[in-house]
Amino acid sequence: MSFLSKLRLVTVDVTGTLIAYKGELGDYYCMAAKSIGLPCPDYKRVHEGFKLAYTEMARKHPCFGFGEKIPNIVWWKTCVKDSFVRAGYDYDEETFEKVFRRIYSTFGSAAPYTIFPDSKPFLNWLRKEGVIVGIISNAEYRYQDVILPALGLHKGSEWDFGVFSGLEGVEKPDPKMYEIALERAGNIAPEETLHIGDSMRQDYWPAKTIGMHALLLDRFKTPDAETWSKSGATVLPNLVAVQDLLSNEEKGSG
């Protein structure tokens, strides 16, 4: 009996699992500045500024401002403005508005992302085998409504439902994200569910905490992968290997 035959639901993380960022943050901030005739901001300073600004916004207004009903565009405008200020670029309001609009529209499109070649075939295979597919991601609504469809991953075709932190008001590693997924799939038992992600803290442990099976992908040969394996996690290089394990393996994973 294959492991797949014991599963009714597979949930999947998005970034690092199904898709990845293309290029660097500085590429897109540079293009936005140059589009209105400004010099290219320093990549390293912008990157560091963004990390600090994003961390601060996520702490003060978690889940993209869900609890305070902050509009998505306002949350990101505050974050991007702070990123530039921390990097030493304090544009006037009119200039910043033009730069921000370009950045916001770019990151709300497929442009900065690439889909791994095994993602779509794997999800289609699961659904063809009668398994429900859920997406679990610390992302805002544009992943569900714009970005994933633009990359060829459509709700109702490649996946059945999504649990996105910006729409739920809760985020990984809170196990509640995984409990919502089980409910949304029709109150499926955790032992009949597998979660696939790329983070021990955000994907593996919270899924295991509520009794789900879990495994991790190491697509980029991260040094952490050895620690993951030593902690007892099943670690695989890609979704082709996951499909092989689900088709042939007798025992559960991780």
Side-chain angles (χ1 to χ4, degrees), residues 196-209:
I196 304 167
D198 70 331
S199 167
M200 195 80 173
R201 178 177 168 270
Q202 295 197 345
D203 294 301
Y204 186 83
W205 286 126
K208 294 289 285 182
T209 297

Side-chain angles (χ1 to χ4, degrees), residues 6-70:
K6 301 172 186 175
L7 297 175
R8 293 175 61 201
L9 168 66
V10 172
T11 58
V12 191
D13 168 56
V14 178
T15 309
T17 303
L18 297 176
I19 71 174
Y21 287 107
K22 274 194 302 203
E24 298 180 46
L25 182 82
D27 292 327
Y28 303 101
Y29 279 48
C30 180
M31 283 190 288
K34 286 172 79 174
S35 72
I36 62 164
L38 293 172
C40 194
D42 182 271
Y43 273 45
K44 188 176 181 195
R45 278 161 51 198
V46 164
H47 183 73
E48 290 304 313
F50 176 80
K51 281 201 298 186
L52 292 168
Y54 184 89
T55 301
E56 181 75 357
M57 280 298 287
R59 184 183 67 79
K60 283 185 175 176
H61 313 287
C63 303
F64 306 95
F66 178 91
E68 301 147 282
K69 296 185 169 57
I70 298 172

Side-chain angles (χ1 to χ4, degrees), residues 198 217-228 235:
D198 70 331
L217 291 194
D218 177 30
R219 289 195 182 271
F220 303 107
K221 297 193 173 4
T222 171
D224 294 336
E226 194 176 332
T227 309
W228 299 346
V235 183

Side-chain angles (χ1 to χ4, degrees), residues 66-232:
F66 178 91
E68 301 147 282
K69 296 185 169 57
I70 298 172
N72 194 65
I73 193 168
V74 172
W75 194 97
W76 278 113
K77 184 183 278 192
T78 308
C79 183
V80 172
K81 174 78 169 171
D82 192 27
S83 303
F84 276 119
V85 170
R86 288 173 185 266
Y89 301 94
D90 196 0
Y91 300 128
D92 65 73
E93 199 166 323
E94 186 183 348
T95 301
F96 171 70
E97 182 68 29
K98 290 175 184 172
V99 173
F100 170 71
R101 288 283 171 177
R102 173 72 181 259
I103 290 170
Y104 187 73
S105 64
T106 298
F107 280 94
S109 72
Y113 309 97
T114 183
I115 181 170
F116 294 110
D118 56 5
S119 296
K120 190 168 181 173
F122 177 73
L123 299 181
N124 286 335
W125 172 73
L126 285 175
R127 294 187 84 241
K128 187 177 159 207
E129 293 291 327
V131 176
I132 300 167
V133 175
I135 301 285
I136 302 181
S137 177
N138 283 353
E140 36 107 336
Y141 79 93
R142 292 183 299 171
Y143 261 51
Q144 173 176 268
D145 296 350
V146 183
I147 295 164
L148 289 177
L151 291 166
L153 300 177
H154 301 273
K155 185 177 181 181
S157 178
E158 280 71 38
W159 50 283
D160 295 287
F161 68 89
V163 182
F164 295 91
S165 60
L167 296 171
E168 306 295 342
V170 62
E171 59 190 6
K172 298 187 290 184
D174 191 332
K176 178 71 177 165
M177 288 284 275
Y178 298 85
E179 291 168 356
I180 291 170
L182 295 176
E183 289 166 18
R184 204 152 287 169
N187 294 310
I188 287 178
E191 59 269 22
E192 296 179 296
T193 306
L194 167 70
H195 179 68
I196 304 167
D198 70 331
S199 167
M200 195 80 173
R201 178 177 168 270
Q202 295 197 345
D203 294 301
Y204 186 83
W205 286 126
K208 294 289 285 182
T209 297
I210 66 164
M212 292 167 66
H213 299 281
L215 60 81
L216 293 169
L217 291 194
D218 177 30
R219 289 195 182 271
F220 303 107
K221 297 193 173 4
T222 171
D224 294 336
E226 194 176 332
T227 309
W228 299 346
S229 295
K230 285 179 180 172
S231 299

